[in-house]
């Protein structure tokens, strides 16, 4: 599709609209932001920056949250 | 025991039993076991969100962070860099600066890499983290961790998930004498008597996961652990009698025929 960029999210390839933000991606994935951490190309983002950081070709995004553990 | 609260880095905790959230059948069982245990600190791991199947529920939908202190761990990290990265991610995802710091040395034993642990703790403390280190039952390492600013230390009783109980009670006692911060015995507890013993020795709290989650009836074991930790703490405060080789009669000789 036109205006699309290829990124990697949690190790999986994914296309997204050019100019879309981390916040857009989270909404697209239906992920609530209240207990997730997002790493963009190894940089941990502040939650308030999710809407400010746009995604570029080749970006690697990691979205993490809490699971059961000891 | 409202007059006997555990205080770490200015935070007060009601329960001296802390529990993990791994290995349960489902989140409902996790929640029930934690409720029954009376624990107010629960450990969690930090992992990738499953983005291919969004129907899966979230742990924190079952464990209310307003009701419990969520203690994220760096489980699975074998290097200083990884442990520091996971701790930072946990802080970014969470609500506090607390971290249960694990830097593991070996997959078979899951024993801590104590040199890496001290290094990672130093980095995180400088960044304002409240570092609760999962460490070996080594008094020298415990002292080093406290010297660099850990407000508590968490020595193991035995390897994680082994259920072997306290393998080296004398080292734990030396740690308790050596450092003046709370000692949380973490890992290796198998059953209620292990937890009670840790508390009788003078541990300030016990942290466990597998002993409860892996029991045939996790909910019943959670209750057993609650009483064990409570009983052990009371016995420690009460002060046990010395061990003697020979008998001392409980009934008086006077007045006998």
């Amino acid at each position: 599709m036109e205006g699309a960029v290829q990124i990697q999210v949690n190790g999986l390839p994914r296309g997204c609209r050019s100019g879309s933000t981390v916040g857009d991606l989270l909404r697209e994935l239906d992920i609530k932001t209240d207990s997730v951490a997002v790493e963009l190309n190894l940089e941990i983002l502040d939650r308030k920056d999710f809407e400010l950081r746009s995604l570029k070709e080749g970006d690697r995004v990691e979205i993490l949250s809490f699971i059961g553990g000891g | 025991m409202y007059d006997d609260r555990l205080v770490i880095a200015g935070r007060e905790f009601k329960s001296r039993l802390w529990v993990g959230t791994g290995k349960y059948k489902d989140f409902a069982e996790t929640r029930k076991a934690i409720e029954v245990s009376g624990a107010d600190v629960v450990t969690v791991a930090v992992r990738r969100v499953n983005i291919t199947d969004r129907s899966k529920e979230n742990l924190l939908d079952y464990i209310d962070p307003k009701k419990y202190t969520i203690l994220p761990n760096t489980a699975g990290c074998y290097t200083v860099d990884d442990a520091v990265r996971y701790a930072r991610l946990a802080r970014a995802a969470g609500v506090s600066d607390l971290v249960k710091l694990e830097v593991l040395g070996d997959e078979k034993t899951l024993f801590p890499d104590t040199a890496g642990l001290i290094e990672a703790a130093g980095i995180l403390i400088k960044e304002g983290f409240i570092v609760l280190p999962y460490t070996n039952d080594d008094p020298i390492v415990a002292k080093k961790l406290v010297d660099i600013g850990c407000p508590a230390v968490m020595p193991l009783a035995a390897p994680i998930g082994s259920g072997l109980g306290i393998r080296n009670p004398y080292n734990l006692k030396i740690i308790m004498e050596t450092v003046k911060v709370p000692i949380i015995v973490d890992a290796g507890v198998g059953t209620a008597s292990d937890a009670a013993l840790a508390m009788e020795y003078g541990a300030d709290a016990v942290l466990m996961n597998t002993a409860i989650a892996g029991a045939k009836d996790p909910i019943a074991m959670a209750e057993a652990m609650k009483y064990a930790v409570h009983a052990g703490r009371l016995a420690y405060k009460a002060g046990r009698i010395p061990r003697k080789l020979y008998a001392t009669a409980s009934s008086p000789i006077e007045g006998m025929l």
Side-chain angles (χ1 to χ4, degrees):
Chain A
M1 61 183 160
E2 205 176 333
V5 293
Q6 278 297 315
I7 60 169
Q8 220 181 60
V9 182
N10 286 6
L12 300 171
R14 186 178 179 89
C16 69
R17 283 190 321 280
S18 180
S20 61
T21 65
V22 169
D24 293 330
L25 175 66
L26 292 170
R27 274 185 293 279
E28 215 174 275
L29 291 167
D30 193 24
I31 294 171
K32 286 185 285 177
T33 58
D34 52 359
S35 62
V36 297
V38 177
E39 223 183 45
L40 176 58
N41 301 326
L42 300 179
E43 178 200 350
I44 298 171
L45 302 183
D46 276 348
R47 208 165 281 158
K48 60 177 166 51
D49 291 341
F50 288 176
E51 304 301 335
L52 305 175
R53 299 294 292 264
S54 55
L55 296 164
K56 292 181 292 296
E57 182 72 25
D59 276 351
R60 280 173 302 127
V61 183
E62 295 288 351
I63 307 167
L64 298 98
S65 190
F66 298 123
I67 65 152
Chain B
M1 290 199 293
Y2 290 102
D3 57 339
D4 186 35
R5 292 201 176 190
L6 174 60
V7 180
I8 296 172
R11 291 157 186 259
E12 271 193 23
F13 303 101
K14 279 186 301 209
S15 171
R16 289 174 183 274
L17 172 60
W18 295 10
V19 296
T21 53
K23 299 185 182 173
Y24 286 97
K25 180 178 76 193
D26 52 36
F27 287 149
E29 186 182 67
T30 314
R31 173 165 63 193
K32 183 74 181 158
I34 292 168
E35 265 173 27
V36 168
S37 77
D40 56 358
V41 180
V42 299
T43 60
V44 297
V46 180
R47 292 293 181 267
R48 279 175 166 167
V49 171
N50 184 341
I51 57 166
T52 51
D53 180 7
R54 295 300 304 142
S55 64
K56 291 205 168 168
E57 295 175 294
N58 298 319
L59 175 66
L60 293 191
D61 293 337
Y62 284 79
I63 313 293
D64 184 358
K66 291 187 195 74
K67 199 168 151 197
Y68 297 99
T69 298
I70 306 294
L71 177 58
N73 66 30
T74 61
C77 293
Y78 287 85
T79 65
V80 172
D81 285 352
D82 269 353
V84 167
R85 182 185 186 190
Y86 274 79
R88 289 172 180 158
L89 285 164
R91 177 155 76 175
V95 288
S96 83
D97 298 324
L98 283 169
V99 63
K100 170 183 160 175
L101 183 62
E102 298 184 30
V103 182
L104 302 174
D106 166 62
E107 284 180 25
K108 194 169 178 183
T109 61
L110 298 179
F111 280 143
D113 169 354
T114 50
L117 180 68
I118 293 167
E119 190 184 337
I123 293 167
L124 293 169
I125 287 164
K126 283 200 187 80
E127 295 180 14
F129 280 87
I130 299 166
V131 176
L132 308 181
Y134 162 68
T135 183
N136 220 323
D137 54 8
D138 180 333
I140 307 303
V141 172
K143 185 171 184 309
K144 286 185 179 184
L145 288 164
V146 173
D147 285 348
I148 62 169
C150 293
V153 287
M154 308 210 291
L156 54 81
I160 294 171
S162 69
L164 287 172
I166 299 172
R167 294 297 79 209
N168 200 337
Y170 305 105
N171 270 32
L172 284 183
K173 284 186 177 185
I174 293 171
I175 291 174
M176 288 162 200
E177 283 194 12
T178 307
V179 301
K180 298 297 165 208
V181 298
I183 308 293
I184 300 146
V185 171
D186 178 9
V189 164
T191 187
S193 52
D194 296 333
L197 208 53
M199 297 305 293
E200 286 176 26
Y201 287 144
D204 294 278
V206 180
L207 170 49
M208 65 181 76
N209 187 345
T210 308
I212 296 175
K216 275 186 191 162
D217 183 342
I219 310 302
M221 188 58 91
E223 189 174 14
M225 290 301 185
K226 176 174 83 173
Y227 292 129
V229 168
H230 190 63
R233 178 67 182 172
L234 286 175
Y236 169 73
K237 300 270 280 186
R240 61 153 300 147
I241 61 162
R243 289 184 171 86
K244 290 184 299 183
L245 196 53
Y246 295 103
T248 314
S250 301
S251 308
I253 305 298
E254 204 181 297
M256 287 191 77
L257 298 176

